[in-house]
Amino acid sequence: MNQQSVPSALSTADWRRRVFALYGDVREATDRAEAHAIWRAGRDELLASHDASPVPVEEREVFRGVQIGDYQPELRFEVAIDTDVEPVRWEVPSATDGVIPFTRIGALHLPAVGDLDVWWLESYGGGVFVPLKDALAGARTYGGGRYLLDTVKGADLGGDFREGWLVVDLNFAYNPSCAYSPLWTCPLAPAGNTVTAALPVGELTVNSTHDPEVQSA
């Protein structure tokens, strides 16, 4: 992320607190469609008005939310993490944080969708990270892919890590910050997180002229 656009430390801390709270509300909701509506409203509010929003300041006044696909309940999975994988290392260069290191710790096998690698952030704090790039990337979904889970930043839909399973709901796929401005640097979905299924759910394409570079693992 370009230093000129870096929000203050306190703004970033507040953004993360709100994201953690938002996903807490999502996990507590008993109705899945209601949970999705809560998430959508919360995301739009943060993007439109928060100081740490990746939406450029000059565009926030006219920002009316991200296009969202209709909720498809069959794209929600409670899935075991297959840990019988080679611990591949993935290093993502960034403009301000140096190299961001990840290690593959597992894979998710999603029926009718495909397999997705599960990554562990090796930087301070750590966290589980699952990006996604589908067949609609560059057309109806962001060309660099989207994020499903990013627990270090609060994007956690549930499950039980001790028992080795996760809630993976593709309806909650969201655009990375770099989808809104080229001033942001984001880890983009590598080959192991690319599927051939078309997934017109979650956050769809935003108006962005940024052409992301695919980062391999």
Side-chain angles (χ1 to χ4, degrees):
M1 185 174 61
N2 188 294
Q3 286 287 352
Q4 295 179 347
S5 68
V6 173
S8 73
L10 295 180
S11 291
T12 300
D14 184 71
W15 170 280
R16 292 194 179 180
R17 174 181 285 178
R18 290 172 185 263
V19 171
F20 271 90
L22 174 60
Y23 277 84
D25 291 342
V26 166
R27 291 192 298 272
E28 290 179 2
T30 56
D31 182 85
R32 294 173 185 173
E34 177 187 357
H36 192 247
I38 290 170
W39 172 77
R40 177 177 186 173
R43 282 276 299 170
D44 280 347
E45 180 182 0
L46 285 168
L47 289 169
S49 62
H50 200 279
D51 289 344
S53 171
V55 176
V57 174
E58 64 274 13
E59 297 178 15
R60 293 176 194 171
E61 187 174 344
V62 296
F63 181 79
R64 296 294 180 267
V66 183
Q67 183 182 357
I68 301 283
D70 293 337
Y71 190 84
Q72 298 185 29
E74 69 274 14
L75 292 178
R76 181 187 185 275
F77 305 92
E78 295 183 1
V79 58
I81 305 170
D82 178 3
T83 58
D84 186 19
V85 298
E86 181 183 356
V88 175
R89 189 172 176 86
W90 174 30
E91 296 184 341
V92 181
S94 73
T96 58
D97 298 321
V99 173
I100 304 172
F102 296 89
T103 299
R104 183 171 62 173
I105 60 170
L108 305 171
H109 307 300
L110 306 182
V113 174
D115 296 343
L116 296 173
D117 285 337
V118 180
W119 299 92
W120 177 257
L121 173 65
E122 296 287 357
S123 298
Y124 177 77
V128 170
F129 179 55
V130 182
L132 165 71
K133 184 175 181 180
D134 74 310
L136 300 178
R140 295 193 64 191
T141 61
Y142 180 56
R146 295 171 289 171
Y147 295 168
L148 291 173
L149 302 175
D150 189 2
T151 63
V152 74
K153 295 183 179 178
D156 179 1
L157 295 171
D160 191 320
F161 291 114
R162 292 173 298 179
E163 295 186 1
W165 64 275
L166 292 173
V167 173
V168 178
D169 192 333
L170 306 184
N171 294 281
F172 289 80
Y174 66 96
N175 294 315
S177 297
C178 51
Y180 299 93
S181 170
L183 299 180
W184 293 76
T185 300
C186 307
L188 302 177
N193 292 82
T194 301
V195 298
T196 58
L199 301 170
V201 293
E203 293 185 351
L204 304 178
T205 303
V206 297
N207 293 325
S208 173
T209 59
H210 181 38
D211 184 16
E213 295 181 0
V214 175
Q215 299 159 347
S216 60

